[in-house]
Amino acid sequence: MRIGFNPHKDKVQDTSDYLHQVIIPVFIPNEEGYFKDSFAILKLCLESLFSTIHKKTFVTIVNNGSNTIISEYLDLLFKTHKIQELIHTDNIGKLNAILKGLAGNNIELVTISDADVLFLPNWQKETVKVFAKVPKAGVVGIVPQFKMYESHCGNVLFDTLFHSNLRFVPVQNKEALIRFYDSLGWDRKYNPDYLAYNLALEINPELSVLIGSGHFVATYKKDIFESVVTYIGFKMGGNSEGYLDKLPLEKDYWRVTTLDNYAYHLGNTLEDWMQVPIVSEEAEPHFDCGFPKNKRLHPFLYWIKNRVFVKFISIKILVQLFLKSKKLPESMIQKY
C-alpha cells in the first residue's frame, strides 16, 4: 500500500540552465577490422568536444550496443561528470538512438554528431552567431562540403533567388575541404572547381553563410522536433538518412553552414594529424538564446518550395542561368 503523499507530485519542473545539447550515438561492437581504431577515434571526438564547449552545454551519449570496454569508458565519463546523460541500449539503429537522446529536455539548440568528429575551437560560438543573425536558420553545419545547396534547400533558394547577396564566393578553407573528402575515402578526381567556389548568402558585411548543410554534425533548433516519429525501421540508411534533413523544411527553416571549417570528419582510421585542439583560456562567453521559432508551413507552400520549385530550377538551361546570375565564373558553368 501507499502511505503519505509524494512531495514531488504536481511540482513544476525547474527551468534548465543549459542552453545547448550535444547528442552523440556510439556503436563500437568490437575493436577488429572496420572498428580497429574506433575507440581511439571516439576518445579524440569526446575530448575535443569537452575542450571546445561552454559550461552550459548538456552532453548526451547514447551507447547503441557497444562492447563492454566502450560501455565502461562511457560509464566513467558519466560518473566523473564529463557528460550529463548516458543512455545504454542494444543496437536499435542510429536514428532511433538519436531520437532517445532528444527526449526529456527543452534545451533550445541541439547538436547531433557522429562519434568520429573532431571539434575545433569556436565551433559553438560561430554556430550560435548564425542562429542569432539569421532568424530563418534552423540547421547550422560547421563543415563546408561540395554543392550543399542541391540537397533540401529548395526553400532557402526560393526565398533568396533574386537577392544580390546570394552568390558564389571563393572557398575559404580549401585544405579542410580536401581533408573532408579524403576522410570519406574519395580519390581526388572530383571537379577541382568545387574547391574554388561555393554558394553563399551574405547576411551583413561581417557574416556570410553557405547554403545547405551536411548531417554528420549539425546543430538544430529544438522546436523542429516537437513532433517526431518514435521508431525508424533501419539501423542505418533506408528512409532514416533523409528524416532529419526533411524535418526542418516542415517549418520552413533554412539549412546553412559556416563559411569556415570548424570540425573534421575522422572516419575509422587513426592518422598522425588527429589531435585534440589546444584551446586558449578566454573570457566568459556571451550566451545568445531566445531564437525565433517558425510555425509549421502550409502544405501548399511546402509543395511549391520543396517540390515544384526544386524540379523547375533543376532544368539544365535554368541551372546554367542560375549559376551565371550568381556570379560563378563563366569558365566553370558548363561542368559545375
Side-chain angles (χ1 to χ4, degrees):
M1 66 179 177
R2 178 185 298 148
I3 299 175
F5 183 82
N6 189 325
H8 294 281
K9 186 175 181 180
D10 299 328
K11 187 176 181 180
V12 177
Q13 283 275 49
D14 294 332
T15 302
S16 173
D17 288 333
Y18 293 102
L19 299 177
H20 196 150
Q21 182 186 17
V22 179
I23 300 174
I24 302 179
V26 177
F27 173 62
I28 304 176
N30 55 60
E31 294 178 72
E32 303 168 0
Y34 181 89
F35 298 100
K36 178 174 63 71
D37 293 338
S38 293
F39 189 13
I41 285 173
L42 173 64
K43 288 180 176 178
L44 279 173
C45 170
L46 294 181
E47 289 302 325
S48 71
L49 177 69
F50 301 150
S51 70
T52 56
I53 54 177
H54 58 61
K55 65 182 182 181
K56 294 189 177 184
T57 307
F58 187 95
V59 180
T60 296
I61 305 297
V62 185
N63 178 19
N64 187 30
S66 299
N67 66 11
T68 301
I69 293 174
I70 304 300
S71 299
E72 290 176 348
Y73 166 69
L74 296 175
D75 281 333
L76 180 61
L77 294 181
F78 181 71
K79 290 175 183 177
T80 55
H81 307 292
K82 288 287 191 73
I83 61 179
Q84 285 64 49
E85 182 177 37
L86 174 60
I87 302 169
H88 289 291
T89 179
D90 287 341
N91 183 8
I92 57 174
K94 179 179 177 181
L95 186 52
N96 289 320
I98 291 169
L99 294 175
K100 279 187 175 291
L102 285 167
N105 66 65
N106 193 32
I107 301 170
E108 188 174 18
L109 297 180
V110 54
T111 297
I112 299 173
S113 172
D114 287 356
D116 59 353
V117 171
L118 188 75
F119 292 89
L120 300 179
N122 298 317
W123 75 268
Q124 197 171 34
K125 180 179 74 173
E126 294 301 320
T127 295
V128 171
K129 182 192 297 183
V130 174
F131 281 112
K133 301 296 184 182
V134 188
K136 292 203 68 173
V139 185
V140 178
I142 54 175
V143 179
Q145 296 162 45
F146 295 161
K147 302 179 74 175
M148 296 180 295
Y149 63 89
E150 291 188 340
S151 178
H152 302 97
C153 289
N155 62 339
V156 60
L157 294 177
F158 182 93
D159 292 345
T160 62
L161 183 62
F162 299 109
H163 292 197
S164 61
N165 54 349
L166 177 71
R167 59 183 179 273
F168 284 89
V169 300
V171 167
Q172 186 155 329
N173 192 332
K174 180 178 177 179
E175 292 73 20
L177 196 54
I178 292 171
R179 180 167 284 178
F180 172 73
Y181 287 97
D182 285 351
S183 77
L184 299 181
W186 289 26
D187 59 34
R188 297 187 180 180
K189 296 179 181 179
Y190 43 74
N191 187 340
D193 294 341
Y194 298 158
L195 296 173
Y197 284 87
N198 216 330
L199 185 64
L201 180 67
E202 182 183 283
I203 307 304
N204 58 49
E206 288 75 42
L207 177 66
S208 293
V209 293
L210 299 178
I211 304 300
S213 170
H215 52 71
F216 80 97
V217 57
T219 301
Y220 300 73
K221 284 181 176 174
K222 184 64 177 288
D223 71 288
I224 288 171
F225 305 105
E226 285 176 342
S227 177
V228 296
V229 300
T230 58
Y231 175 74
I232 296 290
F234 292 89
K235 290 188 182 297
M236 292 185 72
N239 62 1
S240 70
E241 291 294 327
Y243 181 72
L244 293 181
D245 295 332
K246 293 175 182 177
L247 266 183
L249 301 179
E250 295 179 1
K251 287 197 168 187
D252 204 25
Y253 280 129
W254 294 353
R255 301 180 64 87
V256 298
T257 292
T258 55
L259 199 62
D260 204 351
N261 182 77
Y262 291 98
Y264 288 122
H265 179 251
L266 301 180
N268 68 332
T269 304
L270 197 63
E271 299 176 48
D272 291 340
W273 65 266
M274 299 175 179
Q275 296 181 7
V276 175
I278 298 174
V279 180
S280 59
E281 292 293 331
E282 297 181 354
E284 187 73 12
H286 173 71
F287 302 112
D288 285 302
C289 60
F291 306 112
K293 296 180 180 179
N294 283 4
K295 295 181 179 180
R296 193 175 183 86
L297 187 65
H298 190 282
F300 178 73
L301 287 177
Y302 178 95
W303 179 70
I304 290 293
K305 289 187 175 187
N306 301 296
R307 294 282 194 272
V308 177
F309 176 72
V310 168
K311 287 186 177 181
F312 178 73
I313 202 173
S314 299
I315 298 170
K316 185 174 181 180
I317 189 170
L318 295 180
V319 170
Q320 294 180 351
L321 286 172
F322 173 78
L323 298 178
K324 183 176 182 179
S325 69
K326 296 308 171 186
K327 309 303 181 184
L328 187 70
E330 287 278 355
S331 61
M332 299 182 182
I333 288 176
Q334 290 297 324
K335 57 181 180 178
Y336 193 84

